[in-house]
Structures are given as C-alpha cells and as structure tokens.
Amino acid sequence: MTHDHDLVLRPTEAQITAALNPPAGRNGGDLVVETLSGLGATTVFGLPGQHALGMFDALRRSSLTYVGLRVENNAGFAADAYGRMTGEAAPLLLSTGPGALMSLAALQEAAAASAPVLAIGSQIPVAGLGGGRHGYLHELRDQQASFRDIVKSVHTVRTQSQIPSAIAAAWESALTAPHGPVWVEIPQDVLLAETSLPVVTAMDATPEEVVPRPELTAVAAHLLANAERPAIIAGGGVVRSDASGKLRALAERIDAPVVTTFGGKGAFPWEHPLSLQSWLEDRHTTDFLEDADVLLVVGSGLGELSSNYHTFAPRGRVIQIEADAGKLESNHPALGIHADARLALSALLETVEVREDAAAPERVKAVLSKVRDRIAAQDLGLEQRLVASVREALPDTAASFWDMTILAYWAWSAFDARHPNTMHSAQGAGGLGYGFPAALGAAAADPTRPVLAVSGDGGAMYSIAELATAKQYGFDVTWLIVDDGGYGILREYMTDAFGEATGTELARPDFVALAESFGVPASRTTPETLTTDLAKALATPGPSVVVLPALLRMFEPTHL
C-alpha cells in the first residue's frame, strides 16, 4: 500500500543548501513573483500603486514579463483576454483602495465570461486591519467585501509564509471549471519587509476536473439517440473547455442542428449543414428550438441573451451540461449534468448510438432562409455590408474583441467566427470599454498574429489612454472605431421607448488626430473602402486606428 507521505519528494542536497542560504535583498514581493513563476505564469498585467510597490520592485528581479496599462479596469480587461486566449490564469497586480476598486467592472466581465484572472491586490499595513478607522491612505473598512460578490474566491495573506499557499490556492480556483477571477490581498508591510524564507520553487496547483456522473450521461445518450427532433445549443463552455471538435462529432453522429450562443461563437462551423449559426435573437430560431423534443444545452446557462430575452420556452426534454453549478437548471428544468463540457461530450460520444436524419439539413436551411428574409425586409443593407467587410478583412485565425456597440450586436448574430476562441465581446457583463484593452491582452498572449478591436465612439473614450500602452509595447492591434456621435444603441433604445433620447449625444475628438498624437497611425474610412483600409491596417505591424463615421441601426427585436 502506498501512503500519501510516501509520495512527498525528498529534497536533494543542493536544494537543501539553497533553501538554507536564500539570496539577500528579497522581500515579500519576491515571494509573490517567485510563486507566480513557480506556477507557470510568464506574463503579468497591472498598474503600480504605493502599497503595491513591493510586488512591482520584485518584478525586475524575476523573469516575468510585465504589461502595464493606464487604467486598472483596462488592465483587468487585458488580463481577461489573456486568460481567454491562453486558458492560463492571468495575474493582475493592483494597489489598495481606488486602484483595486477600479478593476471591479473588468472582474465582473471575467466572472460572467469564465475568464481565469488572478487578481493580487495590496492592503493597508497589518496594524490597520480589523475594521477600525485608522486613516491610512486608500483605507477601506473591508476591502474583500467589495470583491466577494464578483470573484470565485477570496484569499487573504497576513504573513509572508502564507503568500505561496494563498496564491497557489487562488490559481487552482481560477482554473477549476468554470474558470473565473479570484482575489488575493496582501498588506503593504508584508510585501515590503525583507524575507529570509527560501526561494519559492515549482508548485503544483492543478485543478480537479469536473467529471460527469456516468448514470446521467447514459440517460442523456439514450434520449438523444432516440429523439425525433434533437437540437443543440452550444455556449461559451464549449469554447473554454476546447470541446468544439467533440461537439461537431456528436452533432454529426446524431444529425442534430446546432446553434451557438454569442459567448460560444466559433464552437461549431458556421457553414456546416447542421449549423443554425447564432441567430438567437430571432423568433424563427427560438421557435425551432422550442419544437425540439430533446434539446442538449452545453456550456450555457440559457441567460437573457441566449434565450431571446427569456421568451424561449422549450416544450421538449432539456439536457443541460454546465460546469457552473449555479447555472445548472437555473432557468429551465432539465436533466442537469454538472460537468466540464469537454468531459461530458467525451462521455456522450462513447455511449450514444448513431442516429440518422437526412432531413435535418433541410430544416436548418428553412430556418436560416426565414431569418434572412426577415432581415432583408428591414432595409439594413449598410449594417450587413459592414459585418461582411470586417469578416473579409480579418484573417481567419486572427482574434477579434468587440465592445458594446451596434456593430458588435450585429456581429453576435451575424459574424462568422471561423475558428473557436477567436471572437470575444463584453456581452457577459455588458460594460463599456472592453474591446481595445482586451485586444492588447490578446496581443500579449500571441504576438505573431494581428488582433482586431471594435468600439463605438462612446466606448472608445473609456480606453483611449491605452493608445499609449499599444504604442509603448508595439502591440499588433488594429482598432476600428465606429463613430456615430454618441451612445448609438442607447439612443435607439430610448427613442423606441420614449420617443426621444436623453444623454446619448456626445462631443468627441478627432480620433485620427488623437491617435496620431500618440504616434499611432490612423485613417478615416467609408463603408465602401472599409474592407481595403481595414485589411491594410491589419497587415501592417504595430498598433493602428481606423475610424468609420456611420450611423447604424439594429434589426427589429422579436421578443417584445
């Protein structure tokens, strides 16, 4: 019999000698960066602040690459994108109080989209903790409380010896399905104090896999194989778990049409005969899914956007595979399978019998034809041309990041993300300012491919300072700014609801001149020249800005 203590690796003589003689000049911040390196991190994002200087000083003694943004929220968006693109936990270094709080909107998006962000913030000195009002700079009564409702887990440090274990536990939490942001906080004096602790070596914080229960997948396989009209909704969990290949194999085995949610873009081939694409805000798609006698929902909670604003009312049996237990059966009764999408789809593929349905592609064609006819009747040629122009200009494997703007709302439904994990937006939490800083994070993750960011003029102003970041690091990001003179979608919503809009019209800068003042090449384009101008910018290394003056409209909703 093997006991747990038999598995403990005995240190070598060299390791013992090194541990007994740690290098001088290290502080608590060194323990932070050593732990991150030991866990496998290579890149960190952040913004320095007075209480966090111990961590930032230690960076220069480490092998970690630091990417510094100009606003903490933007640093959080960049870390979010890095986590989405790599599947690794993205460290985000923040300072106490205002700096930490500035990241909350970004961490909310990371939580909604299951992006693994490891936020490490400083705290006031240990003597000030406990809720008393000591008057320290940046002091909050309970800093953790501001994060607890957003992140997956909170990890507190009060001594230097706790740093490696706390960060390792947070790392494991961030990477346990469903991925998500976590919060670690360390007091200023703990970070600054000299340490005699040994250098942190390699650490293992491999998360436990969320494995499906076999009796549940057996029932699911039976239901799918014997269904008359099965259908599949594929969400962001399919993309996060790298399960798109298994999804396609299952759909083809049982001839089930597949629709991808806005967070699941690219999880299933757009032009596949079984692809219903992503027209979830269309009643024709909703009707089709309601008519399914067995509906498999993989990696989606069927939230507001995925359910045509909660008008979707399935009449058949629902099977829901979801790694987030809080989303399991939260909107519809189902055969709930708490599991990672990849593992659950693997289990289904091992047991489901072949089901043939030659009529399925024709039923898919009929739905897509109805969707096209509905859009065609609304005189929206400009909007459709712009979506097609972006698709034509963007290389198939290049990632795109979309802010909350009308062109992005079109892209959720109409854009062909030709590969998994290439199209991302802020539709999880719905905050402005995501597109450009997220694209910078993606460029840091993979400098070999161009990245596209798409914003409206209102959203662009949230992150205009990051033009300096793009220039400083030479990130290969092209930023398309659609300038319609205000918050376009809110203008449309308010006009429809109240007859006129209030607070939506914006004075804005000359974006071309502004970008050029940062040393970033910029150009003004038109709907007719967008494909050429965007393709040229994407093919030119380094950051660039393309400004498109255009007034766009949304297609009519079907949920009202």
Side-chain angles (χ1 to χ4, degrees), residues 193-535:
E194 187 173 349
T195 186
S196 58
L197 290 170
V199 173
V200 182
T201 55
M203 301 184 70
D204 181 14
T206 305
E208 292 289 327
E209 293 187 318
V210 184
V211 181
R213 287 166 44 200
E215 71 274 17
L216 295 179
T217 53
V219 173
H222 175 77
L223 290 171
L224 290 166
N226 292 281
E228 290 185 18
R229 298 177 309 282
I232 299 173
I233 298 177
V238 176
V239 176
R240 298 286 166 270
S241 64
D242 193 22
S244 56
K246 296 186 184 301
L247 171 70
R248 178 174 181 170
L250 178 65
E252 292 176 345
R253 183 172 296 185
I254 62 173
D255 275 341
V258 179
V259 64
T260 59
T261 70
F262 305 152
K265 298 284 288 185
F268 195 72
W270 190 255
E271 299 291 349
H272 192 284
L274 293 171
S275 175
L276 286 163
Q277 301 177 357
S278 299
W279 291 96
L280 284 167
E281 290 189 55
D282 192 286
R283 191 66 222 177
H284 297 303
T285 304
T286 308
D287 289 343
F288 183 91
L289 295 172
E290 287 181 349
D291 186 54
D293 62 333
V294 178
L295 180 68
L296 174 63
V297 183
V298 191
S300 170
L302 290 182
E304 185 176 30
L305 297 180
S306 302
S307 63
N308 204 351
Y309 298 90
H310 292 303
T311 61
F312 172 56
R315 295 190 294 273
R317 188 76 183 269
V318 178
I319 303 163
Q320 186 184 14
I321 295 167
E322 177 56 60
D324 186 342
K327 292 180 181 177
L328 204 60
E329 297 190 67
S330 61
N331 286 309
H332 299 281
L335 174 68
I337 302 176
H338 182 217
D340 175 84
R342 180 176 51 82
L343 298 178
L345 289 171
S346 294
L348 286 176
L349 280 169
E350 289 173 5
T351 52
V352 73
E353 296 178 7
V354 173
R355 175 193 170 279
E356 295 183 352
D357 182 359
E362 289 304 315
R363 288 165 46 228
V364 167
K365 266 188 199 174
V367 174
L368 293 178
S369 178
K370 290 177 184 177
V371 172
R372 279 194 297 271
D373 289 346
R374 188 179 80 84
I375 299 298
Q378 297 177 42
D379 189 24
L380 296 166
L382 170 62
E383 290 78 4
Q384 294 182 82
R385 284 200 308 276
L386 292 181
V387 173
S389 293
V390 174
R391 179 61 280 171
E392 187 177 348
L394 186 68
D396 285 0
T397 59
S400 58
F401 290 82
W402 303 71
D403 215 326
M404 301 297 284
T405 187
I406 288 179
L407 189 59
Y409 293 8
W410 269 93
W412 292 348
S413 294
F415 190 78
D416 173 9
R418 292 179 180 160
H419 290 271
N421 207 29
T422 56
M423 180 181 171
H424 301 275
S425 72
Q427 56 94 21
L432 277 172
Y434 173 80
F436 187 56
L440 300 181
D446 182 1
T448 67
R449 294 176 185 169
V451 183
L452 173 68
V454 181
S455 301
D457 56 289
M461 292 304 293
Y462 276 65
S463 42
I464 206 77
E466 304 310 337
L467 282 169
T469 304
K471 177 65 176 177
Q472 180 172 340
Y473 293 96
F475 286 139
D476 193 3
V477 174
T478 294
W479 192 6
L480 173 62
I481 300 174
V482 182
D483 183 358
D484 66 0
Y487 298 123
I489 192 67
L490 299 179
R491 177 195 292 139
E492 192 164 303
Y493 288 161
M494 292 188 79
T495 302
D496 288 346
F498 311 116
E500 59 181 293
T502 304
T504 59
E505 305 315 297
L506 302 174
R508 67 271 190 211
D510 178 338
F511 286 108
V512 172
L514 183 57
E516 289 174 341
S517 74
F518 283 93
V520 174
S523 63
R524 192 169 279 102
T525 189
T526 66
E528 293 72 29
T529 59
L530 176 60
T531 301
T532 301
D533 293 341
L534 197 56

